[in-house]
Amino acid sequence: MQLAMVGLGRMGSNMVKRLVAHGHECVVFDMSPNVVADLAKTEGVTGATSIEDMIGKLTTPRAIWLMIPAGVVEKTLASIVPHLEKGDILIDGGNSYYIDDISRAKMLAEKGIEYVDVGTSGGVWGLERGYCMMIGGSNATVEHLDPIFKTIAPGKGDAGPTPGRKPGIGTSEDGYLHCGPNGAGHFVKMVHNGIEYGMMASYAEGLGVLKSANIGKHLGEIDAETTPLRDPEHYQYDFDLPEITEVWRRGSVIASWLLDLTAQALIEDPALSKFGGRVSDSGEGRWTIRAGIDEGVPTPVLTASLYERFSSRGEAEFSNKLLSAMRYEFGGHLEKPAEK
């Protein structure tokens, strides 16, 4: 099957390689000509110098997959849609807001163009492992694209079916699922990423507690501004975090792929010296919390994990300064200098 891929970043390029390795044909475009030229050296990949050139190299009905940041989807659609015809298909495989999918699908339907939203998870490991996909769109269009989804997906792999699950009832065991009409794919991916925020924060906080379990050995001077550690003898542990994450990977109820990656990061650099601790958020956590509010569903863990990311980037700096100012105003408490 032929597919165009717009956006050849960490995921887009690997998806193309996975597709052509299984006999599909890909026409590719990226804002970086060098990236296009490099990928076009792969058998089965045809490079394009522009959106118009890409569309001209596709047979109808065309299928075009966007693997680009959510913030540039609208601009990219504006450059593609005028060149499309009735029956063509546009696929957004990035992390767009599901509400945008609904409006885009309606706009494109007026032109006879099909729209499919695909929440895609797999990161830099997808070439080897495959990509988990959560799909929104019409039944006929999703079925038409099934050969693409089946190739990109991980397949059953080593994971057996859930006990009690009836065999042959859908594609989820292969790592991709048609979740519903337009917007459904990105809605499910949105919540997936919200959960991811919470899981990551839990590992980080728990390991942080373990790292500081030797605080009883490193007591500073006692002063009026800091409550003293009452029982230093209770905190005399120098834990080996790489070894702890390794043992948790084996038979523990908190074992996961995220824990596997955490263990690998700690083996490579136990002090995590190359990271500054500024954690970005690409939108899905915010949108998940907004959906929870609209639905009346409490999401305290997911909300706290999002706020932790804000704090990590210094966005609580003014609030923290104001706390210090208030303590000084009401009690004359002097702010302690930062520890070196």
Side-chain angles (χ1 to χ4, degrees), residues 157-210:
D158 297 330
T162 300
R165 174 182 166 82
K166 295 180 181 179
I169 61 173
T171 61
S172 57
E173 288 184 12
D174 291 308
Y176 67 105
L177 179 67
H178 183 197
C179 299
N182 287 121
H186 278 149
F187 192 105
V188 175
K189 179 56 163 48
M190 171 186 78
V191 176
H192 165 285
N193 282 25
I195 293 170
E196 178 184 299
Y197 284 20
M199 292 175 66
M200 292 172 69
S202 295
Y203 284 129
E205 291 176 14
L207 289 164
V209 172
L210 290 173

Side-chain angles (χ1 to χ4, degrees), residues 260-274:
D260 294 345
L261 298 176
T262 302
Q264 182 173 330
L266 289 170
I267 284 289
E268 293 172 353
D269 179 9
L272 304 177
S273 56
K274 65 181 179 181

Side-chain angles (χ1 to χ4, degrees), residues 121-190:
S121 182
V124 297
W125 297 87
L127 177 59
E128 176 185 345
R129 293 169 55 102
Y131 297 88
C132 174
M133 287 170 289
M134 297 138 269
I135 305 162
S138 70
N139 291 339
T141 305
V142 172
E143 185 176 349
H144 172 75
L145 294 170
D146 187 76
I148 295 293
F149 298 138
K150 192 174 185 65
T151 299
I152 295 175
K156 292 183 174 59
D158 297 330
T162 300
R165 174 182 166 82
K166 295 180 181 179
I169 61 173
T171 61
S172 57
E173 288 184 12
D174 291 308
Y176 67 105
L177 179 67
H178 183 197
C179 299
N182 287 121
H186 278 149
F187 192 105
V188 175
K189 179 56 163 48
M190 171 186 78

